Amino acid sequence: MINLSPVAALGNGLSYYSGVFSTAVTTSVNPTATLAVLSILGSIEKASYYSPDNAFFMGIASFLNNVPVIREAANLPISNPYAAVFLTLIAATMIVLHSISECKLVSNYSIDKIDKFVGWLSTVMISLLPLVTNDNFDYKKGGKFIVKAGAMLPGYFWVVAVATILITSIVYSCVYDCVDNFGFILAAVPVKGLNIIEQIVKAILHAGLILLQIFAPAISFALSILIAISGVALVRVIMRISFYYKEVYVNPVAHFIFKHNKETRLVHKKLPRKIRKLYPEIDLALPVFVLYGVRGIKKRGCFWLVINKTDHRVLKKKWFRYEDTPLGDLLDKHKPAVVEQHKRFIKVTSEDKMLQLVISNSYKNYIGMLEALFTRSPLIPDSQDQALSE
């Protein structure tokens, strides 16, 4: 067997986990396509098992064996031709679905969540494979000794593996949310063909990342770091805009189709837990989006309007807490205001146009209550109070 010095073991191990990081970023761009590629490459890596007499595949397998992550991917359960064909069909189906804006709007609430989880699980498995498999010994192939990834990692690399999982999980979640919600925003914009262009660009980026990881690992790692930094920096912006389009453009249509005979929930299901703790008894809580005029909230950001029997509060997120102010304090700066129901949303506009707010048409049945809140008394009239109670 080949005995590696601690320095060599450290270098080889870090090389492997830098590849894991690059794989996590690549997976976040397109999880199903990455799984399909890993399955194909893992199957080729097992050419000696599936096609021992095929010199072409054996040559490719020998080349791929120099890439630690792909070498270890051969240990994944999906590394067989049947899984490769199955995952390739799924990846192709996902690309087609995401190219159709209507399908993308629906998938964002459903299969995209499964897609995200499966991609994250695969990165965790790749991180742990060298430490939980039995391939911790050198083996002889083609007359040469090959040191597998497991043999490179001493016991202290459990710490490295766990740290890698934590870092890649954060990066994976941020980059995936950016990519997925950007596609959702394009689907919500009423311009045909945007999602097709997005899928083409994403496919080129994904293919480029995979090729770089095979032929230029150092460049792949550097580019992955840049993508990771961009994802972490942009995720809040993308999520803010995505939440606006979901609430204002998509949810009213979805409610009309699937819950036509049901009233909209007065307490929004995504009301933050911190606000629920502050106000355990709430009659109404809804997101109000800002186009202009509320300090501390960017365009298409939102504050939460929370109403109970005696109070009407505006809660704005500031860092890790919520800034709580009376609704009257906001309106006193911009009175009088007008509440108008448009085709796409309910709009609250002050007379001087310095305050412009948007509320989802999901609450159009409560337009009278909203007029009472934003244009007249800071307290709900008896009739509206009774409606809330019911």
Side-chain angles (χ1 to χ4, degrees):
M1 293 200 311
I2 298 174
N3 294 319
L4 295 177
S5 67
V7 174
L10 178 63
N12 286 324
L14 292 180
S15 175
Y16 174 77
Y17 280 106
S18 66
V20 171
F21 179 84
S22 298
T23 302
V25 173
T26 304
T27 305
S28 64
V29 174
N30 194 330
T32 49
T34 303
L35 286 176
V37 171
L38 285 175
S39 180
I40 294 170
L41 296 179
S43 300
I44 295 175
E45 182 69 7
K46 289 182 176 179
S48 60
Y49 177 79
Y50 291 109
S51 303
D53 299 326
N54 192 314
F56 175 74
F57 284 117
M58 289 295 291
I60 297 176
S62 179
F63 173 76
L64 293 177
N65 198 62
N66 296 317
V67 184
V69 171
I70 297 177
R71 182 169 63 232
E72 199 63 32
N75 292 316
L76 289 170
I78 59 174
S79 295
N80 63 79
Y82 304 103
V85 172
F86 177 72
L87 290 171
T88 301
L89 291 175
I90 290 180
T93 302
M94 292 289 287
I95 291 173
V96 172
L97 290 177
H98 287 164
S99 299
I100 304 171
S101 58
E102 293 80 4
C103 294
K104 176 59 184 176
L105 294 176
V106 175
S107 70
N108 187 263
Y109 291 89
S110 51
I111 58 176
D112 285 3
K113 299 184 184 301
I114 301 174
D115 191 35
K116 179 181 180 180
F117 175 76
V118 171
W120 170 81
L121 186 62
S122 68
T123 62
V124 173
M125 291 178 63
I126 292 173
S127 298
L128 293 177
L129 270 177
L131 301 171
V132 298
T133 60
N134 293 322
D135 299 325
N136 292 320
F137 300 98
D138 304 333
Y139 67 99
K140 202 169 186 179
K141 183 176 180 181
K144 296 181 180 179
F145 281 104
I146 305 292
V147 181
K148 296 201 75 177
M152 298 178 184
L153 308 179
Y156 61 81
F157 265 89
W158 276 100
V159 178
V160 178
V162 172
T164 302
I165 290 172
L166 293 176
I167 294 171
T168 55
S169 294
I170 295 171
V171 169
Y172 173 82
S173 181
C174 291
V175 176
Y176 181 91
D177 286 343
C178 280
V179 174
D180 189 54
N181 283 282
F182 182 71
F184 178 87
I185 293 169
L186 293 180
V189 174
V191 178
K192 294 293 184 181
L194 288 180
N195 283 101
I196 297 176
I197 298 174
E198 180 239 352
Q199 287 299 305
I200 293 173
V201 172
K202 194 164 75 169
I204 294 173
L205 174 62
H206 184 260
L209 288 172
I210 290 174
L211 291 175
L212 283 175
Q213 193 167 352
I214 295 173
F215 296 102
I219 297 176
S220 171
F221 182 64
L223 183 59
S224 296
I225 291 177
L226 291 177
I227 294 174
I229 293 173
S230 301
V232 173
L234 293 175
V235 65
R236 291 185 64 185
V237 177
I238 299 294
M239 294 294 284
R240 182 185 79 236
I241 299 173
S242 174
F243 185 54
Y244 170 81
Y245 278 103
K246 283 180 182 178
E247 290 297 315
V248 175
Y249 289 88
V250 179
N251 283 354
V253 177
H255 186 273
F256 178 80
I257 295 173
F258 300 108
K259 300 179 181 179
H260 185 59
N261 296 321
K262 294 183 179 180
E263 291 290 334
T264 302
R265 295 175 55 173
L266 291 178
V267 178
H268 198 282
K269 65 180 181 180
K270 289 192 176 181
L271 179 69
R273 187 177 300 175
K274 290 183 179 180
I275 297 179
R276 293 181 187 271
K277 290 182 178 180
L278 288 173
Y279 296 94
E281 295 184 4
I282 300 175
D283 295 315
L284 182 143
L286 58 91
V288 179
F289 296 92
V290 178
L291 296 183
Y292 191 77
V294 180
R295 187 176 180 180
I297 300 181
K298 296 181 180 180
K299 188 174 183 179
R300 294 190 178 87
C302 78
F303 63 79
W304 289 91
L305 177 61
V306 176
I307 300 172
N308 56 27
K309 299 296 183 185
T310 60
D311 210 357
H312 314 107
R313 314 296 296 182
V314 170
L315 288 103
K316 300 183 293 183
K317 190 169 185 180
K318 191 173 183 180
W319 295 103
F320 298 102
R321 62 185 181 86
Y322 282 89
E323 190 178 76
D324 186 349
T325 57
L327 177 61
D329 289 358
L330 174 64
L331 298 179
D332 284 343
K333 301 176 184 178
H334 301 284
K335 283 185 177 180
V338 177
V339 178
E340 299 176 311
Q341 183 177 345
H342 296 264
K343 183 178 180 180
R344 295 179 296 170
F345 45 67
I346 298 168
K347 190 172 184 181
V348 180
T349 310
S350 64
E351 190 175 67
D352 57 5
K353 308 295 184 182
M354 297 302 290
L355 175 68
Q356 297 182 37
L357 308 174
V358 167
I359 300 172
S360 171
N361 262 336
S362 298
Y363 300 95
K364 63 183 180 181
N365 292 338
Y366 305 101
I367 187 73
M369 181 196 65
L370 294 173
E371 288 178 345
L373 284 170
F374 286 101
T375 64
R376 296 195 293 270
S377 171
L379 296 177
I380 303 176
D382 293 339
S383 60
Q384 298 296 335
D385 188 30
Q386 183 179 358
L388 280 176
S389 301
E390 294 175 356

